[in-house]
Amino acid sequence: MRSTPSITRCWENSPSTKPGAIHQGATRVFDQTTFDRAHRIAGWKGYVTNLPATTVDAVEVIASYHQLWHVEQSFRMSKTDLQARPMFHRTRDAIEAHLTVVFTALAVAKFMQTRTGVSLKRIITTLRPLREFTGRIGTHEITFPPEITPDAAHILDQLNSENRNSGH
């Protein structure tokens, strides 16, 4: 079933530089051409792909498009939770290396979220304070382990568990 276009978008009440806009002083004028075009295409959505129809059928293309939000969510997450900064590379090798690091970080982040059931932001804020220090006093090397909170211990236990029910 196709949707009906909104008539309110076909009314003009201020001068415009758009082609086909009709104005008569300060009065509102209905643009029939815009309405007719909107009515013709209302409810239709097209998908364009570079994959041949023999490889992927229309149902798969649409299903893949509907899953695009996962990719968009990952990029939002990568910029915020991973505190990614813009990088300005010029050579192909540098660009590919940077993308490899970014996508590896995304894969590790997704694995950690899936394995623990905890958001990446919470994982980072919980585990970031954990630091181990190794110092030398004379000829003796001493290691000071981090103080692990119960929340951190739970996350680390989930990450170290052999339970493979998470799909990995």
Side-chain angles (χ1 to χ4, degrees), residues 67-125:
Q67 296 301 315
L68 188 59
W69 70 272
H70 291 290
V71 175
E72 293 167 352
Q73 179 187 33
S74 293
F75 278 103
R76 278 193 300 277
M77 180 263 317
S78 72
K79 287 190 248 178
T80 55
D81 295 333
L82 298 178
Q83 297 181 353
R85 301 289 186 260
M87 301 300 287
F88 303 100
H89 300 296
R90 289 181 176 79
T91 67
R92 182 179 180 92
D93 286 345
I95 292 167
E96 288 177 356
H98 178 73
L99 288 174
T100 300
V101 170
V102 169
F103 279 101
T104 302
L106 288 173
V108 169
K110 184 65 174 173
F111 168 79
M112 292 173 76
Q113 286 180 298
T114 303
R115 178 61 70 90
T116 64
V118 176
S119 72
L120 182 61
K121 185 173 192 137
R122 184 165 164 228
I123 292 170
I124 290 172
T125 57

Side-chain angles (χ1 to χ4, degrees), residues 7 30 34 61 80 112 145 158:
I7 291 178
F30 185 74
T34 300
V61 170
T80 55
M112 292 173 76
Q158 292 295 313

Side-chain angles (χ1 to χ4, degrees), residues 1-67:
M1 182 174 168
R2 291 176 29 177
S3 60
T4 305
S6 169
I7 291 178
T8 57
R9 285 194 271 167
C10 299
W11 286 94
E12 299 281 341
N13 62 357
S14 62
S16 173
T17 58
K18 294 181 199 171
I22 303 170
H23 303 285
Q24 293 177 351
T27 61
R28 295 180 69 180
V29 177
F30 185 74
D31 186 347
Q32 186 66 45
T33 305
T34 300
F35 178 79
D36 290 343
R37 182 178 183 282
H39 195 268
R40 276 194 318 275
I41 64 173
W44 293 100
K45 186 169 189 175
Y47 297 87
V48 177
T49 179
N50 62 347
L51 301 172
T54 56
T55 306
V56 180
D57 65 7
V59 173
E60 284 183 273
V61 170
I62 293 169
S64 296
Y65 180 79
H66 288 176
Q67 296 301 315

Side-chain angles (χ1 to χ4, degrees), residues 116-165:
T116 64
V118 176
S119 72
L120 182 61
K121 185 173 192 137
R122 184 165 164 228
I123 292 170
I124 290 172
T125 57
T126 304
L127 299 183
R128 179 174 279 150
L130 302 182
R131 302 278 196 264
E132 181 176 275
F133 172 75
T134 301
R136 191 176 293 266
I137 299 176
T139 59
H140 295 82
E141 193 172 274
I142 301 173
T143 299
F144 299 93
E147 185 176 322
I148 299 176
T149 66
D151 286 343
H154 178 72
I155 290 172
L156 292 171
D157 288 343
Q158 292 295 313
L159 291 173
N160 291 324
S161 75
E162 291 299 320
N163 180 1
R164 300 294 180 192
N165 293 336

